Amino acid sequence: MGTTRRSPVTTAATPTARDRRRWARYLVDERAEARVYRELASRRTGEERDILLALAEAEGRHEQHWIDLLGEKPQRLPQPGLGTRLLAWMARRFGSIFVLALAQNAEARSPYADEPYATAAMAADERVHHEVVRGLAARGRRRLSGTFRAAVFGANDGLVSNLALVMGVGATGVAPSFVLFSGVAGLLAGALSMGAGEFVSVRSQRELLEATEESDFADSALPHLDLDANELALVYRTRGMEPDDALAKAREVVTAAQAGTAPAAAAPGESSHEVVGSAWGAALSSFLFFASGAIIPVLPWIFGLSGLVAVVVALALVGVALMGTGAMVGLLSGASPLKRGLRQLAIGFGAAAVTYVLGLLFGVSAA
C-alpha cells in the first residue's frame, strides 16, 4: 500500500508552533502503535504475524512523514495519548483479543481525514488498517464466542435476576435475614437452572452432531459390491458430490476394497465435538458464572447491612458490575464500551425497579 504524499495545505504557509506540537504528538502515537503491532506479532506465527508486521511497517512510514515535516526528530517528544499507552501496556502483557479490539477502535478514530498536513494516502491507510485489525479481531472473536457468551451472559443473568429478587423482597419490609435467605436461594436456584440448561443444550447438540457424522457401518460390505453397479456412489452423492465424481470415487473405493487395501468408505470427517465442548464443563462454567454475578447483590446483607443502606450498596455494586460486563461486550464487539455499559445498566436497574415497586405494593397491602 503506497503512501504518495500530497503537498501541505496552503491555508498555513508557515506552520505554527501549535502545528508542530500536533505533528510531534502524531509522531509518538504512530511510533507507539507500531510498537503495539510488533508486540502482538511476537506472540503469533504464520499469516497473522506477517499481517501485524506489515501494519507496524505502515505506521513507521506515517511516523517518518511527521519527522520529515518537523525537519528532524524533536529532542523532547510528548507522551502518547492515554488510549495508545493503554494499548501498548495491554499488548506487552496480554497480546489478546482485547488488544486487537482496542486497536480497532483506535484506528477508527484516526484524525488524518481532517488533518491538513496528513496525506490523502495516510488517511486511506488508517481506514484500511481499521478493516485489517477488525479482520484479525474477528478471528479471535470466533474462537472466543462460546466461552465469552457463557461468561458474560451467565454473570449478567445472575446480576440482574438476583438484584431484582432482593430488591423486590427487600421492598416488602421483611427482616434482613429473610432478604439474605431469598438472595442465596435465588443464587442457587438460578445457578442450578443455568447449569442444567447448559448441560442439556450441549449434550443435545453433541447427540445431533453424532447423528450427522459419517459412519463405517457399510465398510464390511465393500468387497462384495458390483464394481459397475453399486450404491456406494449414492453415499457420496448424499455428501454433496456430483454424480460423475461420486461414481468415480465409488469405483475407486470398491476396487481398492476388493484388492484388500480399501480405506473406510465413510471415514469420519473432522469432529465438531471440540467446537461444542464438554456438556459437564459447560454446565459447571454456567453455574459458576451465574453464581459469580448473583452473589454481588447479596453482599450487603451477607456483611450485616440492612434497610436503605443495603439497597444503596447493592445498587452501587451491581451498577459497577453491569457497566463492566457491558463495556467488555462493547469492547470485544468493536462498539462503544460506554454505550454498551450504559445499556446493561439501564436493563439491570429497570428490572430491579419493577420488582422493587411490586415489593412496595405487596408490603403496603400486607400491612
Side-chain angles (χ1 to χ4, degrees), residues 74 105 171 237:
N105 289 338
R237 289 175 66 179

Side-chain angles (χ1 to χ4, degrees), residues 106-161:
E107 295 288 0
R109 295 191 302 268
S110 171
Y112 290 167
D114 300 318
E115 171 54 58
Y117 289 94
T119 68
M122 289 169 64
D125 282 351
E126 295 298 316
R127 286 184 173 271
V128 173
H129 291 177
H130 175 267
E131 292 303 307
V132 174
V133 175
R134 184 169 69 172
L136 290 174
R139 297 182 179 188
R141 288 178 181 123
R142 284 191 290 269
R143 291 192 293 264
L144 187 66
S145 59
T147 304
F148 176 70
R149 176 187 62 83
V152 171
F153 293 105
N156 190 73
D157 284 349
L159 283 165
V160 175
S161 64

Side-chain angles (χ1 to χ4, degrees), residues 166-221:
V166 297
M167 289 295 104
V169 173
T172 63
V174 297
S177 59
F178 191 80
V179 178
L180 176 59
F181 171 79
S182 299
V184 173
L187 183 157
L188 289 175
L192 289 170
S193 175
M194 288 285 291
E198 196 70 16
F199 179 87
V200 171
S201 174
V202 173
R203 177 59 65 87
S204 299
Q205 190 173 358
R206 288 174 66 88
E207 291 170 351
L208 287 172
L209 288 172
E210 288 173 358
T212 60
E213 286 183 355
E214 301 164 4
S215 74
D216 58 358
F217 179 76
D219 282 5
S220 61

Side-chain angles (χ1 to χ4, degrees), residues 32-363:
E33 288 173 9
R35 189 179 304 117
V36 166
Y37 291 133
R38 284 193 292 270
E39 290 279 356
L40 291 174
S42 69
R43 299 169 180 265
R44 285 166 168 75
T45 58
E47 184 184 35
E48 288 192 8
R49 172 182 166 84
D50 294 340
I51 292 171
L52 288 164
L53 289 176
L55 287 173
E57 181 182 352
E59 302 294 1
R61 293 196 301 269
H62 296 176
E63 176 191 347
Q64 188 60 47
H65 170 83
W66 301 116
I67 293 176
D68 292 344
L69 281 182
L70 289 164
E72 60 181 6
K73 188 183 298 183
Q75 292 182 352
R76 295 186 61 183
L77 289 171
Q79 287 289 328
L82 178 61
T84 305
R85 294 203 302 273
L86 175 62
L87 194 59
W89 183 85
M90 292 186 68
R92 286 192 299 270
R93 286 159 178 79
F94 303 111
S96 66
I97 177 60
F98 293 97
V99 181
L100 287 172
L102 282 171
Q104 176 186 334
N105 289 338
E107 295 288 0
R109 295 191 302 268
S110 171
Y112 290 167
D114 300 318
E115 171 54 58
Y117 289 94
T119 68
M122 289 169 64
D125 282 351
E126 295 298 316
R127 286 184 173 271
V128 173
H129 291 177
H130 175 267
E131 292 303 307
V132 174
V133 175
R134 184 169 69 172
L136 290 174
R139 297 182 179 188
R141 288 178 181 123
R142 284 191 290 269
R143 291 192 293 264
L144 187 66
S145 59
T147 304
F148 176 70
R149 176 187 62 83
V152 171
F153 293 105
N156 190 73
D157 284 349
L159 283 165
V160 175
S161 64
N162 230 27
L163 176 66
L165 175 63
V166 297
M167 289 295 104
V169 173
T172 63
V174 297
S177 59
F178 191 80
V179 178
L180 176 59
F181 171 79
S182 299
V184 173
L187 183 157
L188 289 175
L192 289 170
S193 175
M194 288 285 291
E198 196 70 16
F199 179 87
V200 171
S201 174
V202 173
R203 177 59 65 87
S204 299
Q205 190 173 358
R206 288 174 66 88
E207 291 170 351
L208 287 172
L209 288 172
E210 288 173 358
T212 60
E213 286 183 355
E214 301 164 4
S215 74
D216 58 358
F217 179 76
D219 282 5
S220 61
L222 293 180
H224 308 293
L225 291 175
D226 187 303
L227 185 62
D228 296 315
N230 68 75
E231 281 71 37
L232 184 59
L234 301 179
V235 174
Y236 294 115
R237 289 175 66 179
T238 65
R239 299 176 190 170
M241 296 182 69
E242 296 295 326
D244 292 342
D245 295 335
L247 182 59
K249 177 68 175 178
R251 289 178 60 86
E252 175 188 345
V253 170
V254 171
T255 299
Q258 292 174 348
T261 60
E270 182 179 357
S271 176
S272 300
H273 294 177
E274 290 75 14
V275 177
V276 177
S278 163
W280 282 110
L284 179 61
S285 62
S286 292
F287 178 94
L288 294 176
F289 289 137
F290 184 96
S292 67
I295 192 65
I296 293 176
V298 190
L299 288 175
W301 286 272
I302 290 178
F303 287 99
L305 299 180
S306 61
L308 183 60
V309 174
V311 169
V312 171
V313 172
L315 288 173
L317 292 174
V318 173
V320 171
L322 287 172
M323 286 290 291
T325 57
M328 191 178 299
V329 171
L331 177 62
L332 291 180
S333 63
S336 167
L338 179 60
K339 288 182 179 179
R340 292 296 185 270
L342 291 174
R343 183 179 69 179
Q344 295 288 91
L345 188 65
I347 293 172
F349 279 11
V354 171
T355 57
Y356 189 79
V357 171
L358 288 175
L360 288 176
L361 293 175
F362 275 101

